[in-house]
Amino acid sequence: MVSALGAVAALSLLTACGGQHGTSGTAPQKLPGTAQPATGDGTSADGSSKDTSGGTTAASTGSSDSGSKSSTGSTGGGTSSRCHTSELRASVGANNPGAGQENFPLVLTNGSGRTCTIDGYPGAAFVDASGKQLGSDPQRSAGSPAKITLAPGRSAWAGLTFSNPEVSGAKTAKPAAILITPPDERDSLKVTWSGGPVPVSGNSSTARLSVFQAGTGA
């Protein structure tokens, strides 16, 4: 059965099969800055700064619509405020490769004692051991953001997709971590990256991000 993440990945026009890599379950580290927001949808960040790891940072912004969905997919109330970085835990799910792509779910879980919402796209950036960003800023895949209500312990995921470097011929680097920024937040979460080399320059080196959906993407 094709997973929800695989359905998102099918939007890209690639032909060959990719390899599999796992990811680390290492606990994320909260950082004072943020990863670059995804670009390419005409939405600009509301400011920029530098994080202490040395990477360029900016606020992650996500567009919203009038609908409100709970983390289980049912219609819910719109009274909860958005989830803040300090209330969330980040992780990267298992790769679901296919059609020349590597596809990873970026998962945010509500670790607070209150219900909050996520709406839009995450920010994301690969970094090396010194905190320097590797590769260009991710772009946003077409999607329809919907407000997801997360009760304590519930999760939402956004798809991270990039071309398999062995297929595209792009130059690669092996990140030490990935920074994940919740929508409309400036602080990011750092998760150890164990997903193998990623494309950083050359042909088909741009990563793409999808809007958040309820669940873990598994």
Side-chain angles (χ1 to χ4, degrees), residues 38-128:
T39 58
D41 69 342
T43 302
S44 61
D46 62 0
S48 63
S49 61
K50 284 276 186 179
D51 72 24
T52 57
S53 64
T56 303
T57 63
S60 176
T61 58
S63 58
S64 61
D65 63 11
S66 58
S68 177
K69 296 182 180 180
S70 73
S71 58
T72 57
S74 61
T75 301
T79 57
S80 299
S81 64
R82 79 170 187 267
C83 301
H84 299 293
T85 303
S86 60
E87 299 174 306
L88 297 167
R89 300 190 305 268
S91 61
V92 179
N95 186 15
N96 180 29
Q101 293 175 279
E102 308 303 319
N103 309 302
F104 296 87
L106 306 183
V107 183
L108 294 180
T109 301
N110 183 2
S112 74
R114 74 178 185 98
T115 296
C116 59
T117 63
I118 283 181
D119 183 5
Y121 295 83
F126 294 113
V127 295
D128 63 16

Side-chain angles (χ1 to χ4, degrees), residues 86-196:
S86 60
E87 299 174 306
L88 297 167
R89 300 190 305 268
S91 61
V92 179
N95 186 15
N96 180 29
Q101 293 175 279
E102 308 303 319
N103 309 302
F104 296 87
L106 306 183
V107 183
L108 294 180
T109 301
N110 183 2
S112 74
R114 74 178 185 98
T115 296
C116 59
T117 63
I118 283 181
D119 183 5
Y121 295 83
F126 294 113
V127 295
D128 63 16
S130 66
K132 180 181 178 181
Q133 181 171 333
L134 301 173
S136 60
D137 300 338
Q139 295 184 356
R140 293 176 175 178
S141 298
S144 299
K147 187 172 290 185
I148 301 168
T149 301
L150 298 183
R154 292 300 187 103
S155 300
W157 68 279
L160 171 69
T161 299
F162 54 85
S163 297
N164 184 317
E166 294 182 3
V167 175
S168 70
K171 295 181 180 179
T172 65
K174 189 173 181 179
I178 184 171
L179 305 182
I180 303 171
T181 311
D184 301 312
E185 289 290 296
R186 298 190 64 83
D187 292 341
S188 61
L189 296 165
K190 182 178 181 181
V191 182
T192 300
W193 179 259
S194 299

